[in-house]
Amino acid sequence: MYAVRRRLASAAGRASVRRFASTEHSGHSAPKDESLGTAFYLTVGVIPLSYIVYFLSTPGADGKPSSLSKALNKYSDYKEHWSTRNSTHTAMVEQAAFDRNLFQSDKGSPHVNLRFPEIFNTGSPYNVSAGQGPRNMDAVVAHYEKLNAEAEEKKVKSLAEKKS
């Protein structure tokens, strides 16, 4: 207890000791002039600004619109521009949706049209069971040529009907 009291007393004694050995570096400088501050200049600037805005917003004596209204009306054509743009965009989206629906609702062909008929002859010759050897492919080639010719005829007919 006494040791704590001694330390507190010595700490209090050190805090109260001040030395004024030199007056040159005391940390005090000569008084400075204070500016009026930004609030003053803003308040003073609002007064002429409000008069200018009032002058620009009042209509003319002969009923002409104010110069502020004229300046704002210069930008009113953006409404037409944006409405045209929005209607064009809507038409494009509707057409894209129609096309997508058209292509996705098509059944498509149930068979795979082969690019070359020799695909039947590819593969290992050792995995061929009895009776499954190489065959005459002329009938298969003729079948696919006939299918392609029929498809071309249908396309030509549909194009001729659309044009007329």
Side-chain angles (χ1 to χ4, degrees), residues 23-56:
T23 57
E24 277 185 43
H25 303 290
S26 62
H28 299 289
S29 59
K32 293 182 179 178
D33 293 336
E34 294 183 11
S35 66
L36 296 175
T38 56
F40 173 77
Y41 290 115
L42 287 175
T43 305
V44 170
V46 164
I47 295 170
L49 184 65
S50 62
Y51 177 74
I52 291 169
V53 169
Y54 175 76
F55 178 75
L56 292 175

Side-chain angles (χ1 to χ4, degrees), residues 102-157:
L102 179 69
F103 290 128
Q104 287 186 348
S105 64
D106 186 27
K107 289 183 181 178
S109 179
H111 70 278
V112 177
N113 194 3
L114 301 174
R115 293 184 187 265
F116 60 101
E118 286 298 318
I119 192 118
F120 288 118
N121 292 330
T122 59
S124 173
Y126 301 110
N127 286 335
V128 178
S129 58
Q132 300 293 322
R135 297 181 181 169
N136 188 1
M137 299 299 294
D138 294 336
V140 175
V141 171
H143 172 71
Y144 281 107
E145 286 177 354
K146 180 182 171 188
L147 284 178
N148 288 335
E150 289 173 359
E152 288 295 323
E153 287 175 11
K154 286 181 183 178
K155 287 179 188 177
V156 170
K157 279 185 183 178

Side-chain angles (χ1 to χ4, degrees), residues 83-114:
S83 66
T84 305
R85 183 177 178 192
N86 287 341
S87 62
T88 305
H89 185 260
T90 303
M92 288 170 46
V93 168
E94 287 175 354
Q95 184 63 39
F98 175 77
D99 292 344
R100 183 174 181 178
N101 188 22
L102 179 69
F103 290 128
Q104 287 186 348
S105 64
D106 186 27
K107 289 183 181 178
S109 179
H111 70 278
V112 177
N113 194 3
L114 301 174

Side-chain angles (χ1 to χ4, degrees), residues 1-13:
M1 181 81 182
Y2 291 113
V4 173
R5 181 187 264 177
R6 239 183 281 141
R7 285 189 181 166
L8 287 175
S10 66

